[in-house]
Amino acid sequence: MKVIIVGGGIGGLATAVALHQRGIQVEVLERAAEFTEVGAGLSIQPNGLRALDALGLGEHLRAGVLAGPPAGIRNSRGDWLIRNDVDDLKRRFGPWVTVHRAALIGLLRAAVPAEALRPGTAVQEVRPDGTVRHSGGVSTADVVVGADGVHSVTRGSLWPSLSSPRYVGYTTWRFIAPPQPVEESVETWGRGERFGYLPMPDGRIYCYVMANAPAGSDIGLNELRERFARWHRPIPALLESVAEEAVLQRDTHELPKLPTYVSGNVALLGDAAHAMTPNLGQGACQALEDAVTLAHTLDTLGPRAGLAAYDRARRPRTQMIVRRSRQVGAPAHWTSTPMTTLRDAALPLLPKMFFNRSLTPTYTWTI
Ligand SMILES: Cc1cc2nc3c(=O)[nH]c(=O)nc-3n(C[C@H](O)[C@H](O)[C@H](O)COP(=O)(O)OP(=O)(O)OC[C@H]3O[C@@H](n4cnc5c(N)ncnc54)[C@H](O)[C@@H]3O)c2cc1C
């Protein structure tokens, strides 16, 4: 069996690793000149780490698991709204880790034979029979995997009438701050905006900001510094420690529910199938789960039955997580004072059980 993978991001490369390990021939077509990722961090949650374990790569990241830094949600003064019991969460679900995106891509890329990787190859069209038209000509395969991200050309080729990804009303900035003494992983909620910071194993701090804004807004670092100047420590210092060119801004999109992830010999995977808000830190983790599952079903059932089984296994779960992710992030973007006051008063009263239960379906995945 030969599989062409469109897109060499986390989802595409993980799929290539999983298929290659099962002796299936792969070819990864990536439009960028090299296989790499933006300069930002990424949380790999317990389920994502388990998917990497299935590829034999989890151990490389487990070395970077930090020893239980306090974690949770604060208000802009710094009071805890939710304080996670980190040790209990780790006992229940296993550890999680914050990594540099490029490091994860590097790990995956190294596990795929170099001759299977075709950077600088932009796909223009994918047909249900497994034909792929791209900048280097035309290729065919028994199965094509569209792992080409939220604005997927594969999806557009096969489902031209489906609605486009939806802007969810807030834009995101990401950056990596130089090492400084930050010993907690926190998301701080204000009114229509929030700031997150997570220490990485090498001492640098992965930071993100999300704020309500019209689609396509261009808001620079100086404005962010002003907006967050009176928020609790270390937020102002983190914003001061970074240069404008290191800050990446991107609008946040979510993909409406697709009726299927499969058409003919083609499957969608990762953001191409289920782009979600970043609120649960699950987009890449779900792409990793997709990859491991697809390799398993193709290997054990063959192309047609394997694709159908992949769709049955992955669509309900990923669409449930898209919905939960949207819901969980919504209160952070409320702007009315009565609503945010009520929110900040209610969150500390939530029983821990409620929080643990809400994570259980997402974190307990196994192949
Ligand atoms: C602000 C933010 C924070 C996030 N935080 C987390 C987190 O903490 N944890 C987590 O699990 N997830 C997180 N995510 C989600 C995660 O980044 C994505 O879900 C994940 O990167 C999706 O991977 P992918 O491989 O499906 O798509 P992508 O990463 O978009 O990769 C698609 C690849 O396809 C290539 N491509 C596109 N079109 C073509 C074409 N026509 N021909 C050839 N190649 C093409 C692209 O160049 C790219 O390399 C976050 C997302 C955002 C925006």
Side-chain angles (χ1 to χ4, degrees):
M1 193 190 321
K2 179 184 172 190
V3 179
I4 290 179
I5 299 163
V6 183
I10 293 165
L13 285 175
T15 307
V17 175
L19 292 167
H20 171 67
Q21 288 179 344
R22 289 169 180 266
I24 296 172
Q25 189 194 346
V26 290
E27 189 176 351
V28 187
L29 310 181
E30 167 56 51
R31 72 176 167 197
E34 52 179 326
F35 289 81
T36 186
E37 251 277 18
V38 295
L42 187 73
S43 292
I44 301 293
Q45 313 288 353
N47 55 310
L49 215 40
R50 229 170 280 126
L52 284 167
D53 284 339
L55 303 178
L57 300 175
E59 272 318 303
H60 296 267
L61 300 186
R62 279 175 203 277
V65 171
L66 297 173
I73 299 178
R74 292 184 184 271
N75 65 17
S76 58
R77 287 191 309 274
D79 310 318
W80 288 106
L81 300 179
I82 295 179
R83 186 165 184 178
N84 299 335
D85 184 341
V86 172
D87 291 334
D88 183 50
L89 289 175
K90 282 187 180 166
R91 252 193 318 276
R92 278 170 193 268
F93 304 118
W96 55 90
V97 63
T98 303
V99 293
H100 196 292
R101 283 175 178 258
L104 177 58
I105 286 283
L107 188 65
L108 294 167
R109 190 190 49 213
V112 183
E115 60 275 17
L117 300 176
R118 292 184 63 183
T121 309
V123 169
Q124 291 135 359
E125 188 196 3
V126 177
R127 299 199 197 118
D129 66 356
T131 306
V132 180
R133 201 165 53 77
H134 53 79
S135 52
V138 174
S139 306
T140 55
D142 302 295
V143 170
V144 177
V145 179
D148 45 351
V150 59
H151 301 292
S152 166
V153 167
T154 311
R155 192 179 66 241
S157 298
L158 294 166
W159 291 274
S161 59
L162 282 182
S163 27
S164 312
R166 185 179 71 86
Y167 176 56
V168 297
Y170 44 90
T171 187
T172 308
W173 296 259
R174 287 174 285 174
F175 62 90
I176 294 190
Q180 46 203 289
V182 172
E183 275 155 14
E184 55 179 26
S185 294
V186 164
E187 189 169 284
T188 298
W189 287 9
R191 251 184 260 149
E193 55 197 10
R194 54 187 148 147
F195 191 106
Y197 53 90
L198 300 93
M200 302 202 305
D202 65 2
R204 291 182 296 169
I205 320 294
Y206 164 45
C207 303
Y208 58 86
V209 182
M210 294 185 207
N212 296 355
S217 302
D218 182 10
I219 299 169
L221 180 59
N222 281 338
E223 183 173 337
L224 293 183
R225 285 177 177 153
E226 276 169 33
R227 282 167 82 153
F228 292 93
R230 277 167 295 283
W231 284 36
H232 69 83
R233 289 193 303 172
I235 292 172
L238 288 166
L239 282 163
E240 289 299 331
S241 70
V242 71
E244 179 92 52
E245 56 275 14
V247 180
L248 306 159
Q249 187 188 347
R250 185 173 132 167
D251 281 349
T252 315
H253 288 94
E254 184 188 273
L255 196 61
K257 259 185 175 187
L258 300 184
T260 171
Y261 290 173
V262 171
S263 172
N265 297 345
V266 184
L268 296 175
L269 180 145
D271 277 10
H274 46 68
M276 61 185 76
T277 55
N279 303 319
L280 285 176
Q282 277 291 323
C285 296
Q286 290 307 306
L288 293 168
E289 289 185 14
D290 287 348
V292 171
T293 307
L294 181 62
H296 173 71
T297 60
L298 288 179
D299 187 27
T300 50
L301 301 170
R304 277 300 170 109
L307 288 176
Y310 163 77
D311 183 49
R312 277 195 306 277
R314 296 304 302 160
R315 199 158 35 85
R317 172 168 170 78
T318 49
Q319 292 181 343
M320 176 273 287
I321 292 173
V322 171
R323 192 184 65 247
R324 284 192 178 212
S325 185
R326 182 194 324 125
Q327 290 166 344
V328 107
H333 292 277
W334 291 346
T335 49
S336 103
T337 307
M339 290 291 278
T340 50
T341 307
L342 189 66
R343 176 197 73 192
D344 292 1
L347 283 177
L349 307 177
L350 280 182
K352 282 210 168 65
M353 277 302 286
F354 174 83
F355 185 63
N356 287 348
R357 271 209 207 115
S358 73
L359 290 175
T360 302
T362 306
Y363 281 7
T364 49
W365 173 87
T366 50
I367 176 75

